[in-house]
Amino acid sequence: MPDTTPDTTPDLPALPVTFRPGRTRAVLVVLAVATFAAITAVGMLLDGLGAGERLSFVLTALLLAGVLFLLARPRVTADEAGVTVVNLTNKRRLAWAEILQVNLRDGDPWAFLDLSDGTSLPALGIQPGIARQRAIQDARALRALVAARSAATPDAPRG
């Protein structure tokens, strides 16, 4: 008798693949450029400011734009050798065998990777913010990659 249950496992994406919150990133980059332009323009257009004061407007604009670009930085990149998680200020390279599970539960601000050393690593590159369905698809795809890569290396230590 043929199996009639629907296949809910995602197709494995071709490696290398990068997961990042695309819409959120686009909004942050546009906001960073607009913020820099607006603050710099105000600093240049105000009468009665000296060169130092104008420079302080530009430096403030650079600082604010830099923070917004930093918020747009997170990503998760999977390749043949493992996964690279880039969060706001740090970057961590993981072998496939180090990742036990990929979690993205209702209410989570981003995905979490349960690691073989007993810790959990936030993966800000998969976050449901603006595009919830995309984040769920990305988490499922990464989960499927972890499962496939774990099966490919059965001698790897698994929790």
Side-chain angles (χ1 to χ4, degrees):
M1 183 167 181
D3 184 13
T4 59
T5 57
D7 183 17
T8 58
T9 59
D11 293 329
L12 290 179
L15 295 177
V17 63
T18 299
F19 304 105
R20 62 173 29 139
R23 290 182 188 165
T24 302
R25 179 179 163 84
V27 167
L28 288 167
V29 168
V30 168
L31 191 58
V33 171
T35 299
F36 177 76
I39 293 174
T40 300
V42 167
M44 296 302 135
L45 295 174
L46 284 176
D47 290 330
L49 295 182
E53 293 165 321
R54 291 182 197 277
L55 180 62
S56 71
F57 269 86
V58 173
L59 292 177
T60 300
L62 274 174
L63 179 66
L64 291 173
V67 168
L68 292 169
F69 279 122
L70 190 65
L71 292 172
R73 182 176 184 243
R75 69 181 178 277
V76 177
T77 304
D79 60 29
E80 294 292 333
V83 175
T84 302
V85 178
V86 178
N87 288 331
L88 297 179
T89 59
N90 62 349
K91 178 178 179 179
R92 184 162 175 194
R93 179 74 180 159
L94 301 165
W96 287 109
E98 292 180 80
I99 305 169
L100 300 178
Q101 188 171 353
V102 178
N103 295 309
L104 180 61
R105 296 175 287 266
D106 279 341
D108 281 350
W110 41 73
F112 290 90
L113 306 180
D114 291 339
L115 305 179
S116 60
D117 65 0
T119 63
S120 183
L121 176 68
L124 278 63
I126 300 175
Q127 53 181 274
I130 296 174
R132 179 169 181 71
Q133 285 307 111
R134 175 62 188 255
I136 291 169
Q137 291 170 354
D138 289 351
R140 285 181 180 154
L142 184 57
R143 188 177 299 130
L145 283 169
V146 167
R149 292 295 170 171
S150 297
T153 55
D155 57 333
R158 306 293 295 170

